[in-house]
Short mmCIF file of all heavy atoms in Angstrom, two decimals:
data_model
loop_
_atom_site.label_atom_id
_atom_site.label_comp_id
_atom_site.label_asym_id
_atom_site.label_seq_id
_atom_site.Cartn_x
_atom_site.Cartn_y
_atom_site.Cartn_z
N ASP A 1071 214.89 67.38 10.35
CA ASP A 1071 214.06 68.57 10.12
C ASP A 1071 212.61 68.36 10.53
O ASP A 1071 211.96 69.26 11.06
CB ASP A 1071 214.13 68.99 8.65
CG ASP A 1071 215.47 69.62 8.31
OD1 ASP A 1071 216.21 69.97 9.26
OD2 ASP A 1071 215.79 69.74 7.11
N ALA A 1072 212.07 67.17 10.29
CA ALA A 1072 210.67 66.90 10.65
C ALA A 1072 210.48 67.02 12.16
O ALA A 1072 209.49 67.60 12.64
CB ALA A 1072 210.25 65.53 10.16
N PHE A 1073 211.44 66.47 12.92
CA PHE A 1073 211.35 66.58 14.38
C PHE A 1073 211.44 68.03 14.82
O PHE A 1073 210.70 68.47 15.72
CB PHE A 1073 212.46 65.76 15.03
CG PHE A 1073 212.61 66.00 16.50
CD1 PHE A 1073 211.71 65.43 17.40
CD2 PHE A 1073 213.62 66.82 17.00
CE1 PHE A 1073 211.83 65.66 18.76
CE2 PHE A 1073 213.74 67.05 18.35
CZ PHE A 1073 212.86 66.48 19.24
N MET A 1074 212.35 68.81 14.21
CA MET A 1074 212.51 70.21 14.58
C MET A 1074 211.26 71.01 14.25
O MET A 1074 210.89 71.93 14.99
CB MET A 1074 213.72 70.81 13.86
CG MET A 1074 215.05 70.20 14.29
SD MET A 1074 215.35 70.32 16.07
CE MET A 1074 215.34 72.10 16.30
N ILE A 1075 210.58 70.67 13.18
CA ILE A 1075 209.34 71.36 12.83
C ILE A 1075 208.26 71.07 13.87
O ILE A 1075 207.53 71.98 14.31
CB ILE A 1075 208.86 70.94 11.42
CG1 ILE A 1075 209.80 71.50 10.37
CG2 ILE A 1075 207.43 71.41 11.17
CD1 ILE A 1075 209.91 73.02 10.38
N TYR A 1076 208.16 69.82 14.30
CA TYR A 1076 207.20 69.49 15.35
C TYR A 1076 207.52 70.23 16.64
O TYR A 1076 206.63 70.71 17.34
CB TYR A 1076 207.21 67.97 15.60
CG TYR A 1076 206.28 67.20 14.69
CD1 TYR A 1076 206.46 67.19 13.32
CD2 TYR A 1076 205.20 66.49 15.21
CE1 TYR A 1076 205.62 66.49 12.48
CE2 TYR A 1076 204.34 65.79 14.39
CZ TYR A 1076 204.56 65.79 13.01
OH TYR A 1076 203.70 65.11 12.18
N LEU A 1077 208.82 70.34 16.95
CA LEU A 1077 209.23 71.05 18.16
C LEU A 1077 208.89 72.54 18.06
O LEU A 1077 208.39 73.15 19.01
CB LEU A 1077 210.73 70.85 18.40
CG LEU A 1077 211.31 71.49 19.66
CD1 LEU A 1077 210.62 70.92 20.91
CD2 LEU A 1077 212.82 71.26 19.73
N LYS A 1078 209.15 73.15 16.90
CA LYS A 1078 208.82 74.56 16.71
C LYS A 1078 207.33 74.81 16.80
O LYS A 1078 206.88 75.79 17.41
CB LYS A 1078 209.35 75.05 15.35
CG LYS A 1078 210.86 75.17 15.28
CD LYS A 1078 211.30 75.67 13.91
CE LYS A 1078 212.81 75.78 13.82
NZ LYS A 1078 213.24 76.24 12.48
N LEU A 1079 206.54 73.91 16.20
CA LEU A 1079 205.10 74.06 16.28
C LEU A 1079 204.61 73.94 17.73
O LEU A 1079 203.71 74.67 18.15
CB LEU A 1079 204.42 72.99 15.41
CG LEU A 1079 204.35 73.26 13.92
CD1 LEU A 1079 203.77 72.06 13.18
CD2 LEU A 1079 203.53 74.51 13.62
N ALA A 1080 205.21 73.02 18.48
CA ALA A 1080 204.82 72.88 19.88
C ALA A 1080 205.17 74.13 20.67
O ALA A 1080 204.38 74.59 21.52
CB ALA A 1080 205.50 71.66 20.49
N LEU A 1081 206.33 74.72 20.40
CA LEU A 1081 206.72 75.94 21.11
C LEU A 1081 205.84 77.12 20.71
O LEU A 1081 205.45 77.93 21.56
CB LEU A 1081 208.20 76.25 20.82
CG LEU A 1081 209.21 75.28 21.43
CD1 LEU A 1081 210.62 75.64 20.97
CD2 LEU A 1081 209.12 75.28 22.95
N ILE A 1082 205.53 77.23 19.42
CA ILE A 1082 204.66 78.32 18.97
C ILE A 1082 203.26 78.17 19.55
O ILE A 1082 202.68 79.11 20.09
CB ILE A 1082 204.62 78.36 17.43
CG1 ILE A 1082 206.00 78.76 16.88
CG2 ILE A 1082 203.56 79.35 16.95
CD1 ILE A 1082 206.09 78.67 15.37
N GLY A 1083 202.70 76.96 19.44
CA GLY A 1083 201.38 76.73 20.00
C GLY A 1083 201.36 76.89 21.51
O GLY A 1083 200.41 77.43 22.08
N GLY A 1084 202.44 76.43 22.17
CA GLY A 1084 202.52 76.62 23.61
C GLY A 1084 202.63 78.08 24.00
O GLY A 1084 202.08 78.50 25.03
N GLY A 1085 203.30 78.86 23.16
CA GLY A 1085 203.37 80.30 23.42
C GLY A 1085 202.01 80.97 23.35
O GLY A 1085 201.67 81.81 24.19
N PHE A 1086 201.22 80.58 22.35
CA PHE A 1086 199.87 81.13 22.25
C PHE A 1086 199.01 80.67 23.42
O PHE A 1086 198.24 81.45 23.99
CB PHE A 1086 199.22 80.70 20.93
CG PHE A 1086 199.60 81.54 19.76
CD1 PHE A 1086 200.55 81.11 18.85
CD2 PHE A 1086 199.02 82.78 19.57
CE1 PHE A 1086 200.91 81.89 17.78
CE2 PHE A 1086 199.38 83.58 18.49
CZ PHE A 1086 200.32 83.13 17.59
N LEU A 1087 199.12 79.39 23.79
CA LEU A 1087 198.29 78.85 24.86
C LEU A 1087 198.67 79.44 26.21
O LEU A 1087 197.81 79.72 27.05
CB LEU A 1087 198.42 77.33 24.89
CG LEU A 1087 197.49 76.58 25.84
CD1 LEU A 1087 196.03 76.82 25.47
CD2 LEU A 1087 197.80 75.08 25.80
N ALA A 1088 199.96 79.65 26.43
CA ALA A 1088 200.43 80.20 27.70
C ALA A 1088 200.47 81.72 27.70
O ALA A 1088 200.84 82.31 28.72
CB ALA A 1088 201.82 79.66 28.03
N GLY A 1089 200.08 82.34 26.59
CA GLY A 1089 200.13 83.79 26.50
C GLY A 1089 199.36 84.51 27.61
O GLY A 1089 199.90 85.45 28.22
N PRO A 1090 198.13 84.10 27.93
CA PRO A 1090 197.42 84.77 29.03
C PRO A 1090 198.13 84.67 30.37
O PRO A 1090 198.12 85.62 31.15
CB PRO A 1090 196.06 84.05 29.06
CG PRO A 1090 195.87 83.54 27.67
CD PRO A 1090 197.25 83.18 27.20
N VAL A 1091 198.77 83.52 30.63
CA VAL A 1091 199.50 83.37 31.90
C VAL A 1091 200.70 84.31 31.92
O VAL A 1091 200.96 84.99 32.94
CB VAL A 1091 199.95 81.91 32.09
CG1 VAL A 1091 200.77 81.76 33.36
CG2 VAL A 1091 198.75 80.99 32.12
N VAL A 1092 201.45 84.37 30.83
CA VAL A 1092 202.61 85.26 30.76
C VAL A 1092 202.17 86.72 30.89
O VAL A 1092 202.79 87.52 31.62
CB VAL A 1092 203.37 85.04 29.45
CG1 VAL A 1092 204.53 86.02 29.31
CG2 VAL A 1092 203.89 83.60 29.36
N LEU A 1093 201.08 87.05 30.20
CA LEU A 1093 200.59 88.42 30.29
C LEU A 1093 200.13 88.76 31.70
O LEU A 1093 200.36 89.88 32.20
CB LEU A 1093 199.43 88.60 29.30
CG LEU A 1093 198.83 90.01 29.18
CD1 LEU A 1093 199.90 91.01 28.74
CD2 LEU A 1093 197.67 90.01 28.21
N TRP A 1094 199.49 87.81 32.37
CA TRP A 1094 199.03 88.06 33.74
C TRP A 1094 200.22 88.24 34.69
O TRP A 1094 200.15 89.07 35.60
CB TRP A 1094 198.15 86.91 34.20
CG TRP A 1094 197.60 87.09 35.58
CD1 TRP A 1094 197.89 86.35 36.69
CD2 TRP A 1094 196.68 88.09 36.00
NE1 TRP A 1094 197.20 86.81 37.78
CE2 TRP A 1094 196.44 87.89 37.38
CE3 TRP A 1094 196.01 89.13 35.35
CZ2 TRP A 1094 195.59 88.69 38.13
CZ3 TRP A 1094 195.15 89.93 36.09
CH2 TRP A 1094 194.95 89.72 37.45
#
C-alpha cells in the first residue's frame, strides 16, 4: 500500500504539472 500511495501521488502531481501541456 505504501508503494501504491507513492505511485498515486506521483500520478496526481504529474497530472497537475503536465496539465498546461495537456490543455495546450
Side-chain angles (χ1 to χ4, degrees):
D1071 287 345
F1073 170 77
M1074 294 303 299
I1075 290 301
Y1076 273 63
L1077 182 60
K1078 289 180 181 179
L1079 280 175
L1081 291 175
I1082 293 173
F1086 277 101
L1087 187 61
V1091 177
V1092 176
L1093 184 60
W1094 182 247

